Amino acid sequence: MRKIIVRCFVLLAAALLVGCVQPSAEQPASDAFVTVKGQQFYLGGKPYHYVGANMWYGAYLGAPGIAGDRERLTRELDLLVEHGITNLRVLAVSETSDLMRAVRPAVLQNTQGELDTDLLRGMDFLLAEMAKRDMKAVLYLNNFWQWSGGMSQYVAWFTGTEVLDPDITGKWNPFMENSARFYRLEEAQALYRNVIRALVTRTNSITGTVYSNDPTIMSWQLANEPRPGSDADGRAHFDDFSRWVDETAGFIKELAPHQLISTGNEGAMGTLGDADLFERSHASANVDYLTFHMWIKNWGWFDVTQPEETYSSAVSTAKQYMSEHVAIAERLNKPIVLEEFGVERNGGAFDHGTPVSYRDSFYAMVYRVIEKNVAAEGPFVGSNFWAWGGFATTDREDYMWQKGDDFFGDPPQEAQGLNSVFADDKSTLKVIAQHAQNLKGL
């Protein structure tokens, strides 16, 4: 009985949240959307390669309520475009949570499917402003990690168990195994799909365009870094994860046939450390292109406290990791995007104005690899660095985010400034702008 009641509530909420203006009767031209043919993206009949950034907080800044700062958002969009950054990866759905480091407010309020109106309008504003600047968006619809509520919050809602908070327990394997239960909970999947339906079929309150008809949205993404589980124990449920990828991607594709579908997965490191499992889980015809992430510090390749001793070997390992994933894309005949990569400021500093020489060097190396592959007409079609921090500032001694603070590129679980590229990071922006110019010439 509870299952029937929950589904009735979420279906009703989804119907109410489609939007408050009438959909535009005019369908956009098909060549306005990014499409896939073989290993390439196309836009307007021409190959499409892009320089992108992660800006998870875009809809938050666009919100008209207490969380928003539209003036900051438009300034940041102008600055991004000025430096050739035309693709943004954005958090589309967050979940209300008691997790210590979860962002507040959140889009999804409860199991009844109630969505935050201000944050939805914030997404409307973001997409409208991006459209004015010929930018494209990748919108991810969930999160394996705790900083936005995510899958662990769904599990808590539908099992009645306490959320395993790794920021308190320090235990990551149990947290990951708990989050991965999400794929196997029928009620959680019912709510998740109805939230997806509400968003994909929403009518933009500013432009009057249904989201599924908006060419500004390049891709709907299943989640941020979805994993089968922990490396230690996740293999037993790999088939559940792979099935979830295929079926959820197919569900979204039916709702949004003009737009692309991606997973948001990290690659081999996000698939139990097994490149073969990554390839198998992304062979689905419902997945239009591959994604992978690369974190040289988090994965133990680079020690920011011993940069001279570890940077060279980290670069070699990173090049091998990129090569491995490009080869998978070639075998699957799909484009591939490196949609997260970053390096801390020198010495692990967080403040504006502190040196970023290792970051600049690493970005330049990644961009050279992409440019070489693009020149050879390979499947490496773009990148989104992690992350854009724009004009954000903090005066907190511990650099940890609290409700009401500026939004940084770094999520609330991390020190604010850890991997953020700020508006005054002129040397990094120069590297990025040069890459954008180089891609135009290829």
Side-chain angles (χ1 to χ4, degrees):
M1 178 61 71
R2 184 178 71 152
K3 189 180 299 182
I4 295 172
I5 293 172
V6 168
R7 287 184 176 177
C8 288
F9 270 120
V10 295
L11 285 169
L12 176 61
L16 292 174
L17 287 162
V18 166
C20 58
V21 299
Q22 291 298 313
S24 171
E26 183 177 348
Q27 295 292 318
S30 60
D31 64 356
F33 291 89
V34 177
T35 60
V36 168
K37 183 178 180 181
Q39 300 179 11
Q40 298 297 321
F41 283 160
Y42 284 86
L43 179 60
K46 298 179 181 179
Y48 172 63
H49 304 96
Y50 69 82
V51 183
N54 280 270
M55 190 180 181
W56 70 265
Y57 58 83
Y60 279 76
L61 286 190
I66 192 170
D69 188 342
R70 290 183 170 182
E71 188 272 338
R72 176 187 162 189
L73 177 58
T74 55
R75 288 173 64 207
E76 293 197 0
L77 294 179
D78 286 341
L79 186 61
L80 289 164
V81 171
E82 179 186 335
H83 290 86
I85 301 164
T86 59
N87 186 293
L88 298 180
R89 182 169 177 258
V90 179
L91 174 69
V93 184
S94 51
E95 293 75 28
T96 296
S97 175
D98 292 329
L99 286 161
M100 182 172 70
R101 295 298 180 191
V103 67
R104 296 169 176 84
V107 175
L108 176 58
Q109 300 293 299
N110 47 43
T111 58
Q112 281 70 52
E114 183 181 351
L115 306 182
D116 185 282
T117 302
D118 277 351
L119 289 174
L120 292 175
R121 290 176 179 168
M123 184 64 76
D124 293 346
F125 183 82
L126 172 68
L127 292 172
E129 291 298 313
M130 289 180 67
K132 292 177 184 178
R133 296 163 175 81
D134 294 323
M135 303 178 83
K136 298 295 182 184
V138 175
L139 304 183
Y140 50 100
L141 297 157
N142 209 320
N143 196 349
F144 190 76
W145 305 111
Q146 76 277 26
W147 60 266
S148 65
M151 296 180 185
S152 59
Q153 185 58 52
Y154 276 90
V155 172
W157 278 336
F158 290 106
T159 63
T161 57
E162 185 178 355
V163 178
L164 298 171
D165 193 335
D167 291 306
I168 296 175
T169 67
K171 297 179 179 179
W172 287 92
N173 278 351
F175 169 79
M176 288 188 278
E177 285 302 304
N178 184 66
S179 288
R181 294 177 66 190
F182 167 77
Y183 311 124
R184 308 189 295 277
L185 292 175
E186 184 177 348
E187 289 175 315
Q189 291 304 308
L191 176 58
Y192 172 57
R193 288 194 174 201
N194 279 289
V195 171
I196 291 172
R197 182 183 289 108
L199 196 62
V200 174
T201 63
R202 176 177 172 79
T203 298
N204 189 308
S205 60
I206 296 171
T207 66
T209 302
V210 177
Y211 277 25
S212 60
N213 288 334
D214 187 353
T216 306
I217 301 172
M218 181 187 93
S219 174
W220 296 100
Q221 196 161 89
L222 306 191
N224 178 56
E225 300 191 334
R227 292 184 171 197
S230 70
D231 289 352
D233 302 303
R235 194 169 292 266
H237 296 294
F238 170 76
D239 288 343
D240 296 315
F241 169 75
S242 189
R243 186 180 308 109
W244 173 81
V245 166
D246 176 58
E247 293 179 354
T248 310
F251 171 75
I252 301 172
K253 191 173 284 290
E254 289 183 0
L255 295 173
H258 302 300
Q259 292 155 333
L260 304 180
I261 313 298
S262 53
T263 68
N265 182 261
E266 299 151 273
M269 291 294 285
T271 319
L272 311 178
D274 190 324
D276 179 63
L277 293 183
F278 169 70
E279 184 170 348
R280 284 168 51 191
S281 60
H282 288 72
S284 166
N286 293 323
V287 176
D288 293 305
Y289 67 96
L290 307 183
T291 62
F292 74 116
H293 301 180
M294 187 164 63
W295 287 102
I296 61 173
K297 177 200 168 184
N298 296 359
W299 296 346
W301 305 347
F302 176 59
D303 185 342
V304 71
T305 67
Q306 300 182 50
E308 293 183 4
E309 294 86 349
T310 59
Y311 180 70
S312 178
S313 63
V315 167
S316 297
T317 304
K319 287 181 177 178
Q320 179 59 37
Y321 192 71
M322 287 188 282
S323 177
E324 178 181 43
H325 287 79
V326 168
I328 292 171
E330 290 172 342
R331 288 195 294 271
L332 293 180
N333 195 34
K334 295 183 180 185
I336 190 166
V337 173
L338 176 59
E339 63 173 21
E340 280 191 24
F341 65 100
V343 179
E344 294 179 28
R345 312 179 84 85
N346 290 16
F350 306 133
D351 291 326
H352 288 253
T354 51
V356 289
S357 57
Y358 285 98
R359 174 185 295 173
D360 289 353
S361 176
F362 190 72
Y363 275 34
M365 181 279 294
V366 168
Y367 290 150
R368 286 193 297 271
V369 170
I370 295 172
E371 290 163 15
K372 183 177 180 179
N373 193 263
V374 169
E377 299 183 351
F380 213 154
V381 292
S383 64
N384 297 76
F385 66 83
W386 185 282
W388 177 248
F391 296 104
T393 60
T394 184
D395 58 4
R396 296 197 181 279
E397 292 185 3
D398 64 358
Y399 294 91
M400 297 308 294
W401 185 86
Q402 294 185 29
K403 185 178 179 180
D405 289 353
D406 284 357
F407 292 111
F408 281 65
D410 310 288
Q413 75 184 54
E414 296 177 338
Q416 304 296 277
L418 180 70
N419 289 296
S420 285
V421 175
F422 296 120
D424 56 4
D425 279 328
K426 294 183 179 180
S427 63
T428 304
L429 288 172
K430 183 177 180 181
V431 171
I432 297 168
Q434 184 61 60
H435 174 53
Q437 192 63 37
N438 292 346
L439 282 184
K440 285 183 179 180
L442 295 176

